[in-house]
């Protein structure tokens, strides 16, 4: 059995600061006659921290084009942030769950043989009932795990200093 404890996903808060935006205006291109040639109604917004760009020249009004471009930019930034958070969540889950292979097995509870085996230290104990009730055997297993951890840390220290 594999157990993974993961945080609940939260709603993404996206704030775009005006100082992070560079707003450029220009004359729209394409059909539109003389009006297109005389007014700067097209808008280009650059989000400086990410380099993401949104342009709009659909409307005749510069303000409407700016609003539409901001909506497009906000949608793109939201999508990018959502993808990043999804990737982080997926990575955290993959690390916790692992491959679920037998090589990742930590402990085996063998009920028919009344045996507990900790595969990290190679220790097997009998009398599972007392172990699960938290009596002497559990303390013995914890002590053996602590000794193994201390020995491993000591070997690591000696290996680095030699």
């Amino acid at each position: 059995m594999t157990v993974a404890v993961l945080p609940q996903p939260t709603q993404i808060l996206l704030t775009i600061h005006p100082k992070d935006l560079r707003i450029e205006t220009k004359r729209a291109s394409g059909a539109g006659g003389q009006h297109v040639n005389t007014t700067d109604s097209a808008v280009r917004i650059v989000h400086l921290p990410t380099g993401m760009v949104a342009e709009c020249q659909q409307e005749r009004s510069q303000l409407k084009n700016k609003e539409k471009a901001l909506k497009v930019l906000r949608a793109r930034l939201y999508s990018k942030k959502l993808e990043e958070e999804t990737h982080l969540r997926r990575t955290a889950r993959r690390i916790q769950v692992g491959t679920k292979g037998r090589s990742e097995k930590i402990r085996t509870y063998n009920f028919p043989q009344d045996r507990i085996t900790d595969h990290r230290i190679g220790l097997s104990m009998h009398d599972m009932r007392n172990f699960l009730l938290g009596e002497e055997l559990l303390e013995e297993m914890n002590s053996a795990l602590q000794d193994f951890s201390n020995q491993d840390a000591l070997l690591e220290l000696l290996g680095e200093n030699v």
Side-chain angles (χ1 to χ4, degrees):
M1 170 175 45
T2 302
V3 177
V5 180
L6 300 169
Q8 287 289 346
T10 57
Q11 188 169 349
I12 297 172
L13 298 174
L14 182 65
T15 53
I16 301 174
H17 299 288
K19 65 179 181 176
D20 292 340
L21 300 176
R22 184 176 69 222
I23 300 173
E24 303 167 353
T25 58
K26 61 181 182 176
R27 290 195 172 100
S29 60
Q34 192 173 9
H35 186 280
V36 171
N37 298 328
T38 58
T39 59
D40 291 345
S41 60
V43 176
R44 180 175 194 252
I45 301 176
V46 179
H47 187 247
L48 298 173
T50 60
M52 211 169 278
V53 177
E55 293 184 15
C56 184
Q57 62 181 22
Q58 295 172 349
E59 302 291 330
R60 292 182 76 166
S61 164
Q62 189 181 85
L63 290 175
K64 288 182 182 177
N65 282 333
K66 182 179 175 183
E67 288 174 13
K68 283 190 175 188
L70 275 173
K71 284 182 184 178
V72 169
L73 183 65
R74 180 178 295 282
R76 287 181 185 167
L77 290 172
Y78 182 85
S79 176
K80 182 179 179 184
K81 183 120 175 159
L82 181 65
E83 187 178 309
E84 288 172 359
E85 288 194 12
T86 303
H87 177 72
L88 288 174
R89 224 176 295 124
R90 196 176 303 130
T91 303
R93 185 179 193 292
R94 192 176 300 128
I95 288 170
Q96 282 192 17
V97 172
T99 63
K100 298 184 252 179
R102 291 183 63 84
S103 63
E104 293 179 340
K105 189 165 49 170
I106 293 173
R107 193 173 291 152
T108 300
Y109 296 88
N110 190 325
F111 288 92
Q113 295 179 4
D114 193 34
R115 178 174 44 94
I116 305 108
T117 304
D118 194 296
H119 300 283
R120 296 169 289 187
I121 57 177
L123 178 66
S124 290
M125 302 175 131
H126 294 276
D127 195 9
M128 189 180 303
R129 183 178 185 283
N130 285 333
F131 180 85
L132 294 175
L133 290 173
E135 295 182 8
E136 295 174 20
L137 292 176
L138 182 61
E139 291 176 22
E140 189 178 327
M141 177 76 77
N142 285 338
S143 176
L145 283 168
Q146 186 63 48
D147 290 345
F148 177 77
S149 177
N150 291 342
Q151 182 182 7
D152 197 38
L154 185 61
L155 288 173
E156 191 175 313
L157 267 173
L158 290 174
E160 289 179 8
N161 292 332
V162 174

